[in-house]
Amino acid sequence: MKTFHITWMMFFVCFFGWFGLAPLMPTIREDLGLSKAEVGNTIIASVAATIIARLFIGRLCDTWGPRKAAVRLLLVGCIPVFLVGLAHDYTTFLLFRLAIGVIGASFVITQFHTSQMFAPNIKGTANAVTGGWGNLGGGITNMVMPLIFAVIVGFGYTKAEAWRYAMILPGMMMLVMAYIYHKYTKDTPAGNYDEIGHTAKAAGKTDWSVLKDWRIWALTLAYAMCFGMELTFDNVASLHFVDTFHLSQSSAGFWAGIFGFMNVFARAIGGIASDKVGAKFGMKGKGLLLAGVLLLEGCGLLLFAQAGSLFIAILSMLTFALFLKMSNGATYGIVPFVNTKNVGLVSGIVGAGGNLGGMMFGFLFKSTTITYVEAFTYIGYLVIAASVIVFLTRFAQRSESQPEEKIEKKVAVDEEAAVEEVAIVAN
C-alpha cells in the first residue's frame, strides 16, 4: 500500500530534520561555547514546540485530512532546518531548535493516517510499524549526520562550517517528501476528503469532552515515559558516550544510532503483541501488556545508569530500548479504540504527552547539580511508577452512550465480525 509506506517515510524524513543536530552537538557545543545548562535548554526547546503542534495537528487531520496536513507541515518545517546554519550564538540557535521542533507533529499525522486506512483488528500493528519505521529516522540520523559532517570537513571546510552545511540535506529531503505525499497518497481508502465530501464544517467542533476520560491521561503518561525517554535519549546519547566513555563523535553517533535502529522491529513487536493480546483478552489484556513493558523499560534504564563500562552500557541500552519501543507500540495499540470519533484529537493529546515527557526529562539533563547518570536513574524510577498507574487503569471501562466502543468490544470477541462490521459502515 503506497499510503502505508509513504506515511512512515514522511515521519522518517521529519526525524532527520528534527534530530539532525543532535549527533553534531559535541561540535556545536564547542563552536558556540555552550554550557551544560544551555545545551539542556536546546534539548528542551527541540521538543517543547512539538507539544503544542501535536495538539493542533490532530485537529487539522480531522478537518483538512492527513494529506494536506502533512504537506503543509513539511513545507513550513523545512524552513528553519535550512536556516539553522545562520545561528552564531546561543540565543539564535535556541530559537531555531524551538522552530524545528514543530516538525515532530508529523508523528500524529502518521498515526492518524494509518488508523484511517486499516481495520480495527490490525490497527495496533499498522500504527506500530509506521511509527517504528518512522522513529528509525532518529537512529539513522545519529549514524549518518556525523558521516556527512566528516565528508564536508574532508572537502576542506571547517567544523564550524560543516555542521551548518550538513543540515541542508534534511531540508532537501523534506521538500521531496512533501511532493511525494501530495501526489501519491489518499486521505482515506475511499479517496481524499475533498473527493468524498468531508469538510471542516462536517467534522464538527472539537470534542474536548475527551479530556474527562482518565484512560486518555493514563495513555498520555505512558507515552511520556516511553516516547519521551526516546526523544531525550536521541538528544543526549552522543554527548553521554563522548563525555562518559570518551568516544569520538562518529563512534558515539554510531552507538546512539543503534538505539534508534531498533525501531525497525521493536515498536512493531509491541503493536503486534497488543493486537494479539487484545484479540484474546480485550482491552484489559492490552493495558496489562503496556504496564508490563513499561516496568521492564524502567528496570533496564536503572541498569544503564549504573553501567561501569562501555560493554555493559551498550548491553543495558539495548535491553531498555527493546521494552521502551515495545511500550510505544503498545500505547498506540490502545489509542485508536479509546474514542473512535476523535482519533486525531486523541492521537494528538497522547502524542503531545510523549513530547511533554521529553521536555520534563530535559530539565534533569540541563541541571548543573545532577549528572547524566543520576538523571537516567531518576527517570528509571519514574517509568516504574508510571507502569503501576497504567496497571491500575481499567481500559475496558465503557460508556453505553458511545456506539464506537461496541466495535472495539466486537474485535476482542470476534475479529471476523469486527472487520465485516467496519466494511458495512464503509459502504
Side-chain angles (χ1 to χ4, degrees), residues 352-405:
N355 283 84
L356 180 61
M359 186 182 76
M360 298 307 295
F361 296 155
F363 283 104
L364 291 175
F365 287 96
K366 69 163 282 187
S367 173
T368 55
T369 59
I370 299 175
T371 66
Y372 277 16
V373 169
E374 291 173 332
F376 283 124
T377 302
Y378 296 152
I379 295 172
Y381 285 124
L382 287 173
V383 174
I384 291 173
S387 72
V388 175
I389 294 174
V390 172
F391 174 78
L392 296 174
T393 300
R394 297 180 59 191
F395 289 102
Q397 185 176 357
R398 298 297 182 209
S399 170
E400 293 302 321
S401 62
Q402 292 179 292
E404 72 273 12
E405 308 294 355

